[in-house]
Amino acid sequence: MSQAPALELESDLSQAMQRGELELFFQAKGDLHNGRIHGAEALLRWWRGERLTQPGEFIPVAEKSGLIVPIGAWVIDAACAYLQTWAKIGIGDTRLAVNVSARQLLAGNLEAVVSDALARHGVRPECLELELTESMLMDDPEAASALLLRLKDIGVKISLDDFGTGYSCFANLSRFPLDALKIDQSFVRLMVEEANTAAIVAAIIALAHRLGLRVVAEGVETEAQLAYLRRLGCDEIQGFLFSRPVPEADYLALLAQGKTVSGQPEEAARTLLLVDDEPAILSALRRMLRQEGYRILTANNAVEGLERLALEPVQVVISDQRMPGMAGTEFLSRVKTMHPDCLRIILSGQAELPAVLDAINDGAVYKFFTKPWDDAHLRERIREAFRVQAVLASLKPSRP
Ligand code: C2E
Ligand code: MG
Ligand code: MG
């Protein structure tokens, strides 16, 4: 007796896992700060007979029947298996995001599924990212928030998918422990032509940054969308323009080619000057910032630093405080007068704070960071400094 198509689909799907018919495709995300591939999103595909079916056709059935719970666990395990393989062939810093459905959240075993998969494949938790949507958190926000905190304790990253559809509540961005926010493709599509959509996208990006979240734009299909998102300070893009979802071999080929996002801002727009009398500090900073795409200049003392600034435009300068000849604060107060558009940062020992305080209060120093530093934190603060500098510089023509 033949079944109704929906039932048939469900019964086929229930066997798809055992039959090895499920496959993950990978869609690269491009980092707008350095132009490189930041990682990928794993998207499920089902070989139903000869035909490759898309999630739109079977995820709703999987959700309704509850099959999404075992399928979702398979996706998490498969993603970790890929991460393990990639680490073995030397691409260990790749990030992989998986989509998690509401049913998985409610099933009560998500934490165990995630930590078992990480342990089984020996994967660093920060390489795995879970993409959730806002609506699935809103059924029971307190329970969801507690679960997300436990997942964060494991060390995985969490991002909010399809932001802008459904609730789109700004308060939720601080209520849940998130790392990133993905702007839904419907906004990206309209943003270039519609002033209101553009304003919403700009506000989402600005607010997310204030809350310390990275912003990913989904469904980027045109150069115009890319350029506009870059100008608004978006951190990453995902979309057909950069790459379609592709099988593993094609994704690895993209990584091997070193594919980059087109149209990086001119180098001169992002030049960083590092001034420190200790060569080891200069090389540690250089190494830490290698992937950020800045043009990096160095100087061993303040006078050399001033010479470099006279020679070419520099947007951000980071200086040590204790240097022979001229202290960092004196150096930066000169920079303030001579190159007011250059954003000034001191990176020095905690003990130097009293000496630096006056300079901060005088506005000669924008930020004071202490040695030893935390790489990820300092990198983020430097990105922020470039963003702030760009905003200040763009305001300049309208100043009285
Ligand atoms: P999503 O998580 O928002 O994934 C992005 C979707 O947008 C993908 O569709 C991707 O192929 C598509 N896309 C990416 N760039 C572009 C673009 O430039 N233009 C256009 N028009 N589309 C673009 P896909 O692969 O069909 O997946 C659809 C949805 O199915 C996903 O939306 C996600 O919600 C769900 N899904 C996919 N895999 C899984 C999974 O393993 N588990 C669960 N629970 N859901 C999944
Ligand atoms: Mg997603
Ligand atoms: Mg999405």
Side-chain angles (χ1 to χ4, degrees):
M1 200 173 64
S2 69
Q3 291 176 308
L7 283 178
E8 197 181 322
L9 183 92
E10 188 180 322
S11 101
D12 284 356
L13 188 58
S14 66
Q15 297 171 58
M17 254 189 305
Q18 290 89 322
R19 291 184 185 155
E21 295 170 350
L22 298 182
E23 185 176 336
L24 293 184
F25 272 37
F26 304 93
Q27 188 177 32
K29 300 181 191 178
D31 187 323
L32 294 183
H33 300 291
N34 58 24
R36 292 159 184 255
I37 295 178
H38 184 77
E41 175 173 5
L43 293 157
L44 191 57
R45 299 291 183 264
W46 174 23
W47 287 100
R48 194 178 181 206
E50 292 294 295
R51 209 167 71 81
L52 185 67
T53 45
Q54 307 290 319
E57 283 183 52
F58 63 87
I59 292 279
V61 175
E63 297 256 7
K64 205 156 162 245
S65 62
L67 279 171
I68 195 67
V69 176
I71 289 177
W74 178 88
V75 168
I76 291 169
D77 193 75
C80 288
Y82 278 113
L83 284 167
Q84 178 183 32
T85 313
W86 297 344
K88 277 191 197 144
I89 56 173
I91 33 183
D93 55 356
T94 285
R95 252 205 209 165
L96 191 53
V98 295
N99 292 283
V100 171
S101 96
R103 292 291 286 259
Q104 285 171 273
L105 222 56
L106 294 172
N109 65 345
L110 185 59
E111 236 178 302
V113 166
V114 168
S115 50
D116 288 354
L118 291 169
R120 187 160 37 248
H121 300 287
V123 169
R124 286 187 293 126
E126 64 271 22
C127 294
L128 184 69
E129 186 165 337
L130 306 181
E131 294 193 2
L132 307 121
T133 60
E134 206 178 0
S135 57
M136 68 175 75
L137 302 174
M138 295 312 290
D139 281 344
D140 186 350
E142 272 169 30
S145 176
L147 173 60
L148 294 192
L149 280 172
R150 295 198 302 276
L151 288 164
K152 292 282 297 179
D153 277 346
I154 296 175
V156 295
K157 305 283 175 191
I158 312 243
S159 63
L160 202 58
D161 208 349
D162 305 340
F163 190 77
T165 62
Y167 283 88
S168 311
C169 168
F170 278 170
N172 282 338
L173 299 182
S174 62
R175 176 182 210 169
F176 299 110
L178 304 170
D179 297 287
L181 178 156
K182 300 185 76 178
I183 300 179
D184 190 66
Q185 42 182 279
S186 54
F187 285 89
V188 173
R189 205 170 299 132
L190 294 174
M191 174 191 66
V192 174
E193 288 155 33
E194 247 191 46
N196 288 348
T197 309
I200 292 170
V201 172
I204 292 174
I205 293 173
L207 182 76
H209 282 157
R210 291 294 288 269
L211 295 170
L213 307 180
R214 280 177 82 76
V215 182
V216 184
E218 296 189 278
V220 178
E221 293 182 347
T222 68
E223 292 286 351
Q225 290 164 351
L226 167 63
Y228 198 42
L229 286 161
R230 177 177 280 138
R231 215 169 318 140
L232 294 176
C234 183
D235 300 291
E236 287 170 47
I237 55 146
Q238 186 183 345
F240 295 169
L241 179 71
F242 188 52
S243 169
R244 288 185 173 259
V246 292
E248 184 202 15
D250 298 346
Y251 174 58
L252 294 182
L254 289 179
L255 286 172
Q257 285 160 23
K259 181 171 169 85
T260 52
V261 184
S262 60
Q264 281 299 295
E266 336 66 88
E267 280 191 334
R270 302 205 317 156
T271 304
L272 175 68
L273 172 63
L274 306 171
V275 187
D276 201 303
D277 56 331
E278 280 184 60
I281 297 279
L282 291 178
S283 47
L285 287 169
R286 244 186 203 288
R287 214 175 315 122
M288 173 195 95
L289 296 168
R290 203 172 34 199
Q291 309 231 316
E292 296 290 283
Y294 306 133
R295 203 157 75 87
I296 297 179
L297 311 175
T298 55
N300 295 310
N301 56 56
V303 172
E304 239 183 77
L306 289 168
E307 278 172 14
R308 303 253 30 178
L309 286 163
L311 282 168
E312 50 211 308
V314 170
Q315 287 72 44
V316 177
V317 58
I318 301 182
S319 172
D320 185 19
Q321 167 63 0
R322 256 157 93 122
M323 294 183 290
M326 195 190 300
T329 41
E330 167 64 15
F331 165 57
L332 292 185
S333 59
R334 291 190 194 186
V335 176
K336 183 191 171 198
T337 316
M338 296 157 76
H339 308 279
D341 280 347
C342 177
L343 210 70
R344 303 161 299 272
I345 293 172
I346 292 257
L347 176 65
S348 201
Q350 188 81 49
E352 310 297 332
L353 183 58
V356 176
L357 260 181
D358 283 345
I360 294 178
N361 290 335
D362 285 341
V365 173
Y366 160 70
K367 284 269 159 78
F368 173 55
F369 300 135
T370 53
K371 292 177 187 168
W373 62 86
D374 170 71
D375 280 1
H377 182 249
L378 188 57
R379 264 196 298 264
E380 186 47 48
R381 304 315 288 266
I382 294 173
R383 285 180 192 158
E384 183 187 284
F386 274 100
R387 288 200 293 266
V388 169
Q389 195 279 336
V391 171
L392 294 178
S394 72
L395 291 175
K396 208 181 160 205
S398 59
R399 278 183 207 149

